[in-house]
Amino acid sequence: MGCVLILLPVMVCLAVYIAGSLNFAILILRFLGKGDPRTRFSGNAGATNVYRLAGSYWAGVVLFLDVGRALLAGLIALDLLDKSMVPWVGLCLIAGNRYPCFHGFKGGKGVAGYIGYTAALSPLIAVTSCFVWVMSYAIFRVPFVASLYMVVFLAVGTVIAFGHTPVVIAGVAVTAMFIVWNHRTNIAALAERKKSENRG
């Protein structure tokens, strides 16, 4: 029984990481003959770059697949694991998206996956976070800034709705910080642009 309690979380985390390593943006653009999204525009293998390269329909398909996979992963984690371990499985999903073993360990930033995974834990928080994104984008007009505000909202909302235990808080915090860290080049570029504007 003790071995099962130890091995089951490890197996679920590994399976979710592998599932997250299937990057739909890369696969669909390859299928369409549009090239690798990691070599164009922002270099991010996500729905936004798919929109730039293949249009809104295929971006919607990628977003639907990313969110749907994450939602399924969250539901499986909730069913199989102790509640305190569930946020850590979410981290494995985001890690798979960011460092996919099937795509040279260079993938997306994990925002869509985080929305879908949170939807399994708290659907209301996930839906409300989309309004947070819209409002943030209306104010700042920068997609990744709106995404970061949404991620912070998802993290805080998950802790409030899902549990205040240290293990849960740590899992949620590490996942949110990991997604923010994935945007570090965007943050640096925005800071440099603002600095240049202030000089001018």
Side-chain angles (χ1 to χ4, degrees):
M1 186 65 179
C3 291
V4 173
L5 291 175
I6 295 172
L7 287 177
L8 184 58
V10 173
M11 292 173 64
V12 172
C13 285
L14 180 60
V16 168
Y17 166 78
I18 292 172
S21 289
L22 288 168
N23 189 286
F24 296 119
I26 295 173
L27 294 173
I28 286 177
L29 288 178
R30 186 179 296 166
F31 170 77
L32 296 173
K34 299 287 187 179
D36 191 329
R38 296 171 294 182
T39 63
R40 305 280 297 280
F41 296 104
S42 67
N44 184 45
T48 301
N49 244 11
V50 173
Y51 171 76
R52 295 177 180 126
L53 291 165
S56 57
Y57 172 79
W58 290 108
V61 170
V62 169
L63 184 63
F64 174 79
L65 291 173
D66 280 342
V67 172
R69 171 181 55 194
L71 176 62
L72 180 61
L75 293 173
I76 290 172
L78 282 170
D79 184 57
L80 295 179
L81 301 179
D82 181 79
K83 189 176 181 179
S84 63
M85 289 300 302
V86 173
W88 294 97
V89 178
L91 175 62
C92 295
L93 177 74
I94 305 305
N97 181 263
R98 183 57 179 166
Y99 299 111
C101 59
F102 301 120
H103 306 289
F105 298 96
K106 183 181 179 184
K109 293 184 171 72
V111 175
Y114 196 44
I115 299 169
Y117 197 79
T118 304
L121 313 185
S122 177
L124 179 60
I125 296 299
V127 171
T128 308
S129 74
C130 296
F131 291 100
V132 171
W133 189 96
V134 171
M135 290 186 295
S136 300
Y137 182 74
I139 295 170
F140 300 104
R141 310 303 296 180
V142 181
F144 90 85
V145 173
S147 294
L148 294 182
Y149 273 95
M150 180 174 65
V151 166
V152 171
F153 179 86
L154 287 167
V156 173
T158 300
V159 170
I160 293 173
F162 196 64
H164 297 78
T165 65
V167 177
V168 169
I169 293 171
V172 171
V174 171
T175 304
M177 287 188 292
F178 180 55
I179 296 174
V180 173
W181 184 78
N182 290 342
H183 287 82
R184 63 195 181 282
T185 55
N186 303 82
I187 296 170
L190 179 61
E192 186 61 33
R193 187 162 68 246
K194 292 295 183 182
K195 191 184 296 183
S196 299
E197 290 173 359
N198 291 335
R199 290 198 199 104

